Amino acid sequence: MYKKELDILKSKGRFRERKIYKNAIDLASNDYLGLAEDEEILDNAYFFAKKLKLHGSKASMLVNGYNEAHKLLEDKLKELNNFEDALVVGSGFLGNLALFELGRKGDLFLVDREYHASGIVGSKITGAKVKFFNHNDLNDLKEKSKDYKKYKRVFVVVEGIYSMAGDLVSKEITDFAQEIGYLIIDEAHSVGVIGKNLMGITDEYNLDTKKTIKMGTLGKALGSYGAYILGNNEVISYLLNRAKSVIYTTALSPMDSLLAYFALEKIQDNLSEFKALISERKLTYNLNSLIKIIPEIDNLTLKRKQNELLEKNIIVGAIRPPTVKQPIYRVILRTNVKMDIISKTINYLERGKC
């Protein structure tokens, strides 16, 4: 049925498959702090779920699918991030679709060109006008927003740390966004990695939460699955009443919510230790994040080197077009992987030497 199309992908080195990597040293996943493997968090979540006598989602959040685990997590997120209200959702993809439903006819979204694919999909279903500005380019953003006063509501849409580049959104852009309207920020890759309390760019830049709408995921540094949106009471209430990806989807499971809750507690209880590990990795490689990007000449070389590392029991991300413009290795400097292993891996990818 699709053999011709699949054969073309294979010939170009762009064919994708699911694989299970057993006991490999993980430098590919977004589990930045190693909390997806933390047994204490798992035990705490399990025993709390046992007390609730509830582990399944049951229904949409608005049809008796909302439970104590959701509220516990939402309250913790509000407290740590200083927002009025919170809403947990099934995934970051669903969260981004919901955020673009904040736009109505007469509104404007100004979106960074490197924004996550889920936001690009969301931009196609909104009733608002959508303009894209060059990545992290304040001048282009200003040019694209010259007529912002003619719109009812204006949203500037950025990521905290861009997942395929590892760079931070500039503070000039976040400040300008709050001058002309509201900042929507996807903190999927920045929570747990940056900020005084490791709560992301909103924490690092001390952003005005009254002018910010924040989306974060539970499946990266928090080691669980799902996502959340933080905003003022009106924003969260509007999403509950209008966002299809909230209303018409089954609620996040209590177990996922509890895993994230206890991960947040673990981070706050061990803040100095985590920050020291993160700082060591950033300083060693002169990075602002825990994402190290290494370019490669072509897809075939990319896959060959990835496979050679797999023979040494190390997995790194090998990212190919169209996700990125040119093939790259995406190495995650996870805090539970020793620095000498990270160093040897990066040295091999950059110079062909271990």
Side-chain angles (χ1 to χ4, degrees):
M1 185 176 178
Y2 292 104
K3 185 177 184 304
K4 182 178 178 181
E5 289 89 340
L6 293 170
D7 286 344
I8 290 172
L9 289 174
K10 289 176 183 177
S11 70
K12 292 182 177 180
R14 290 166 57 175
F15 185 70
R16 293 175 171 86
E17 298 176 276
R18 294 172 296 176
K19 293 183 180 179
I20 296 174
Y21 301 100
K22 287 189 176 180
N23 303 315
I25 296 169
D26 178 11
L27 292 175
S29 79
N30 299 313
D31 178 28
Y32 294 107
L33 307 180
L35 299 185
E37 301 166 3
D38 190 297
E39 292 187 12
E40 181 185 27
I41 290 172
L42 178 60
D43 287 342
N44 287 338
Y46 171 75
F47 287 115
F48 202 105
K50 286 274 283 186
K51 282 200 294 186
L52 290 179
K53 298 183 179 178
L54 183 66
H55 61 273
S57 301
K58 294 177 67 175
S60 162
M61 193 172 282
L62 298 169
V63 188
N64 200 33
Y66 190 59
N67 58 64
E68 293 96 328
H70 295 140
K71 188 172 190 313
L72 187 74
L73 176 58
E74 289 172 347
D75 287 345
K76 174 66 75 174
L77 289 164
K78 286 190 294 184
E79 173 196 342
L80 291 176
N81 290 277
N82 194 32
F83 277 83
E84 278 187 0
D85 209 352
L87 169 65
V88 295
V89 294
S91 70
F93 205 103
L94 293 175
N96 260 319
L97 293 183
L99 288 174
F100 278 88
E101 292 208 61
L102 289 170
R104 313 292 289 175
K105 187 176 180 180
D107 296 340
L108 172 66
F109 283 106
L110 295 154
V111 186
D112 189 293
R113 288 190 185 279
E114 296 298 316
Y115 198 73
H116 191 268
S118 55
I120 305 306
V121 173
S123 72
K124 297 181 186 303
I125 63 173
T126 182
K129 174 75 174 176
V130 179
K131 297 181 185 180
F132 291 91
F133 63 92
N134 295 335
H135 176 53
N136 243 348
D137 187 333
L138 177 62
N139 290 331
D140 193 47
L141 171 59
K142 287 182 175 180
E143 177 65 26
K144 298 286 170 52
S145 64
K146 283 194 302 188
D147 60 349
Y148 80 91
K149 289 184 178 179
K150 79 177 190 181
Y151 295 95
K152 183 178 178 183
R153 286 172 291 235
V154 177
F155 304 95
V156 178
V157 187
V158 300
E159 292 187 40
I161 291 176
Y162 287 87
S163 60
M164 291 299 148
D167 58 340
L168 276 60
V169 62
S170 75
K171 190 171 189 304
E172 291 80 8
I173 284 178
T174 61
D175 288 346
F176 180 71
Q178 296 188 329
E179 285 178 27
I180 66 171
Y182 292 88
L183 174 71
I184 290 179
I185 184 165
D186 180 337
E187 295 253 42
H189 295 273
S190 40
V191 168
V193 174
I194 195 169
K196 180 181 177 182
N197 297 300
L198 295 181
M199 287 297 105
I201 290 292
T202 49
D203 181 17
E204 176 78 6
Y205 292 169
N206 194 28
L207 295 175
D208 181 0
T209 57
K210 293 181 176 63
K211 298 280 285 183
T212 304
I213 301 161
K214 170 173 175 169
M215 194 278 285
T217 54
L218 309 178
K220 295 180 175 62
L222 301 188
S224 180
Y225 182 75
Y228 58 89
I229 297 170
L230 296 167
N232 63 36
N233 293 327
E234 280 188 14
V235 165
I236 300 304
S237 182
Y238 184 84
L239 291 172
L240 282 167
N241 282 278
R242 300 294 300 207
K244 296 177 185 65
S245 59
V246 174
I247 299 168
Y248 300 112
T249 56
T250 300
L252 186 68
S253 82
M255 272 299 292
D256 288 321
S257 303
L258 291 168
L259 287 167
Y261 172 82
F262 286 109
L264 285 168
E265 292 223 314
K266 182 101 176 187
I267 291 170
Q268 297 308 306
D269 290 345
N270 300 274
L271 201 55
S272 59
E273 291 90 340
F274 281 125
K275 288 176 75 173
L277 290 167
I278 292 166
S279 179
E280 178 187 22
R281 284 153 176 75
K282 289 179 182 177
L283 287 171
T284 299
Y285 295 101
N286 192 28
L287 299 171
N288 291 316
S289 69
L290 294 181
I291 302 171
K292 172 70 173 173
I293 301 298
I294 302 169
E296 188 50 272
I297 56 173
D298 56 51
N299 291 335
L300 294 178
T301 307
L302 186 86
K303 290 302 292 180
R304 175 178 60 78
K305 282 190 178 180
Q306 185 192 43
N307 288 331
E308 288 170 356
L309 280 174
L310 275 173
E311 291 174 5
K312 301 177 186 296
N313 206 37
I314 297 170
I315 173 69
V316 298
I319 315 299
R320 294 161 286 172
T323 303
V324 289
K325 292 177 182 177
Q326 70 173 102
I328 60 169
Y329 303 103
R330 184 173 179 270
V331 184
I332 306 301
L333 314 186
R334 299 174 69 229
T335 61
N336 65 336
V337 177
K338 293 179 180 179
M339 282 294 289
D340 66 323
I341 295 174
I342 293 172
S343 177
K344 288 177 181 177
T345 301
I346 290 174
N347 194 46
Y348 171 72
L349 293 174
E350 288 184 331
R351 302 177 182 86
K353 299 177 182 178
C354 281

